Amino acid sequence: MNPTLYINGVWRNSSNGGRHEVRSPHDGSLVASVAQASIDDVMEAIAAARACFDSGVYSSWSWTQRSALVSKIADLLERDASIVAKKESDDTGKRLIEAEYDVADVVATFRHFAALGLVEQDHVVDVGIEHVTSRIVHEPVGVCSLIGPWNYPLLQIAWKVAPALVAGCSFILKPSELTPQSAIHLIKLIEEAGTPAGVANLILGPGSVVGNALTTDPRVDLVSFTGGLTTGKTIMVGAAPTVKKLALELGGKNPHIIFADADLDAAIDNAVTGVFLHSGQVCSAGTRLIVERSIHDRVVKEIVRRAADIRMGGPADLTAETGPLISESHLKTVEKYVAAGIAEGAKLLIGGKRSERPEHAHGWYFLPTVFDGCNTSMHCVQEESFGPVMTIEVFDTEAQAIAIGNDTIFGLSGGVWSRDTDKAARVAGALRHGTIWVNDYGPYRPQAEWGGYKQSGIGRELGSHGLGEYLEIKHIWTNNSPSRSGWFHDAVGGES
Ligand code: NAD
């Protein structure tokens, strides 16, 4: 049996023999069998990461050396891109071409952080005292638990692994139990690149067991987590007793606002992509369409026409535009969400059920779904379905559009469409969300920060802040002309 846990530089199986079968979301077939770590394995992985970090075997490497390592990993990922994309597509059920785009984004992420590691981080500040040199230096935060979701498995962990490596941290990586294969391959490449044993450790298994141990252990300094809001709150509680640093990327319920003066053809096309891409299993999906009343009927008619036309299929279907949901349990969650929406008065215009096509019979296919007549008091507007479900709300004024767009506990992303650039800029400025697209929806680049306001998370990934999460900042004050402090009186005075 293939050993798939990586602890202290050694590939091995679980100490209690546990295994987990990964099933295709497309047809339920077996795609992989992987080791499922025991708590003892987790303890060993944390011990290895801690000992490695404290020894300085990697954390003392120069920024240049660490950047070169991360750059080498990017090269290896590029070399193995098609292998990695196939694994990702098998695990997630997404089309191969989509997985290939994701791997290209992963390579770009590693290259971004490798480049950032070469930019001088430390600096001297002027504290206004001539004989004092005040230096601000950046040091690795320590041992990190990196926990990822299943929707963009490799990409989401790359946003953590690449900066952690550049910063000089040691880590224990835990991908989602539903999608472990690309993480296993990434760790093989990290090993091949010459990373010292103990820096990168891989643990597989369910979050409630191994994830919990990784987020509560006192030897862990930082937890970086991407996943659902409920899990994020549990992690905050578990991390509190040892005051761990936290970087949390949680859910979103993202407003996509279309004004009547927008380029409607482009706006509608982006609205369809924004919500139905990857069957809505995207944290930044534009699930809340907020439309100016005068164009409501036209926009809705066109969206329904386009939703009806979306071609669904599995990884190998070259004509498919979107794929299955990740699991039966997730499909049932989306079904319940839709039923609740109907019960609370949302008007179902299309979809709302699983696909009945024979070729989808063994997979988790849910039809693109549109609810009209929605408002901010409804659960379907406030809660994340993480499925292909759009809710439509209307507004009459700019102020209303902003108020509706901000009426959510989340704050991850949003979009605004208008030909009036001043108006679009005002709305973009007023929306309390971490990323706003103006006359666009969805693109991101590793050079720009990503993260959420409000309950969408804590901290930022990507950009330069995405490296900062993995660094401690130390201030070193050097007095070049020492003298007495003179604060307390000294009866004797002078040198003894
Ligand atoms: P999830 O919270 O169920 O699981 C995420 C990860 O956490 C998995 O690896 C899981 O095993 C682990 N986990 C579960 N319980 C845990 C616990 N008690 N302690 C430690 N780890 C635990 O989320 P998911 O279903 O895998 O992903 C979907 C969610 O992720 C959505 O809410 C989505 O919005 C969010 N997401 C956010 C972003 C972002 O950038 N903000 C990106 C992708 C996904």
Side-chain angles (χ1 to χ4, degrees), residues 147-151 156 159 174-177 205-208 211-212 215 225-229 231 234-235 249-252 283 384 386 412 450 456:
I147 301 178
W150 46 258
N151 60 336
Q156 296 298 329
W159 291 10
K174 195 205 90 60
S176 166
E177 52 274 41
S208 52
N212 181 57
T215 53
F225 166 78
T226 300
L229 175 59
T231 316
T234 305
I235 287 175
E249 294 290 341
L250 308 176
C283 53
E384 200 184 29
F386 223 52
L412 187 61
W450 180 266
S456 283

Side-chain angles (χ1 to χ4, degrees), residues 259-261 291-298 394-396:
F259 281 94
D261 61 0
V291 192
E292 192 159 354
R293 193 179 303 276
S294 61
I295 53 164
H296 166 270
D297 293 357
R298 183 175 159 199
V394 290
F395 68 89
D396 294 299

Side-chain angles (χ1 to χ4, degrees), residues 159-235:
W159 291 10
K160 306 177 189 307
V161 167
L165 282 174
V166 169
C169 297
S170 295
F171 63 81
I172 307 99
L173 172 65
K174 195 205 90 60
S176 166
E177 52 274 41
L178 299 172
T179 55
Q181 289 203 86
S182 55
I184 296 169
H185 199 86
L186 173 65
I187 294 291
K188 285 185 179 157
L189 300 184
I190 288 174
E191 180 185 37
E192 184 183 342
T195 311
V199 174
N201 301 276
L202 178 66
I203 283 294
L204 306 176
S208 52
V209 184
V210 298
N212 181 57
L214 285 169
T215 53
T216 53
D217 193 286
R219 293 166 293 178
V220 171
D221 298 298
L222 172 141
V223 177
S224 177
F225 166 78
T226 300
L229 175 59
T230 307
T231 316
K233 288 181 185 173
T234 305
I235 287 175

Side-chain angles (χ1 to χ4, degrees), residues 49-282:
R50 186 77 258 169
C52 170
F53 184 78
D54 293 342
S55 74
V57 67
Y58 178 68
S59 53
S60 64
W61 281 22
S62 69
W63 283 95
T64 313
Q65 285 174 301
R66 298 195 303 248
S67 284
L69 177 81
V70 170
S71 196
K72 170 90 178 150
I73 296 166
D75 294 343
L76 296 174
L77 274 162
E78 224 159 24
R79 183 196 70 192
D80 286 3
S82 56
I83 301 170
V84 180
K86 172 77 170 63
K87 289 177 189 290
E88 192 84 322
S89 159
D90 284 349
D91 282 5
T92 58
K94 66 172 70 170
R95 290 174 308 153
L96 191 56
I97 188 159
E98 249 177 272
E100 284 167 358
Y101 292 144
D102 293 349
V103 177
D105 284 356
V106 170
V107 172
T109 300
F110 274 83
R111 296 225 183 280
H112 163 68
F113 283 108
L116 204 58
L118 298 176
V119 176
E120 181 58 53
Q121 306 285 327
D122 302 345
H123 56 277
V124 172
V125 289
D126 183 357
V127 291
I129 307 171
E130 208 177 300
H131 55 273
V132 167
T133 309
S134 218
R135 276 194 319 125
I136 305 297
V137 299
H138 296 76
E139 298 175 351
V141 78
V143 172
C144 308
S145 289
L146 310 179
I147 301 178
W150 46 258
N151 60 336
Y152 288 88
L154 190 62
L155 187 61
Q156 296 298 329
I157 60 177
W159 291 10
K160 306 177 189 307
V161 167
L165 282 174
V166 169
C169 297
S170 295
F171 63 81
I172 307 99
L173 172 65
K174 195 205 90 60
S176 166
E177 52 274 41
L178 299 172
T179 55
Q181 289 203 86
S182 55
I184 296 169
H185 199 86
L186 173 65
I187 294 291
K188 285 185 179 157
L189 300 184
I190 288 174
E191 180 185 37
E192 184 183 342
T195 311
V199 174
N201 301 276
L202 178 66
I203 283 294
L204 306 176
S208 52
V209 184
V210 298
N212 181 57
L214 285 169
T215 53
T216 53
D217 193 286
R219 293 166 293 178
V220 171
D221 298 298
L222 172 141
V223 177
S224 177
F225 166 78
T226 300
L229 175 59
T230 307
T231 316
K233 288 181 185 173
T234 305
I235 287 175
M236 285 182 88
V237 171
T242 47
V243 195
K244 296 186 194 316
K245 308 252 176 297
L246 284 176
L248 302 178
E249 294 290 341
L250 308 176
K253 194 68 194 175
N254 311 294
H256 197 171
I257 299 171
I258 307 182
F259 281 94
D261 61 0
D263 173 341
L264 283 190
D265 183 54
I268 290 167
D269 186 64
N270 277 275
V272 170
T273 309
V275 68
F276 296 127
L277 177 79
H278 195 16
S279 285
Q281 302 171 114
V282 181

Side-chain angles (χ1 to χ4, degrees), residues 141 144 163 167 169 222 224 245-249 450 458-462 464-472:
V141 78
C144 308
C169 297
L222 172 141
S224 177
K245 308 252 176 297
L246 284 176
L248 302 178
E249 294 290 341
W450 180 266
I458 297 176
R460 290 293 179 271
E461 296 198 292
L462 302 178
S464 57
H465 283 76
L467 176 59
E469 301 286 348
Y470 297 87
L471 296 171
E472 286 283 14

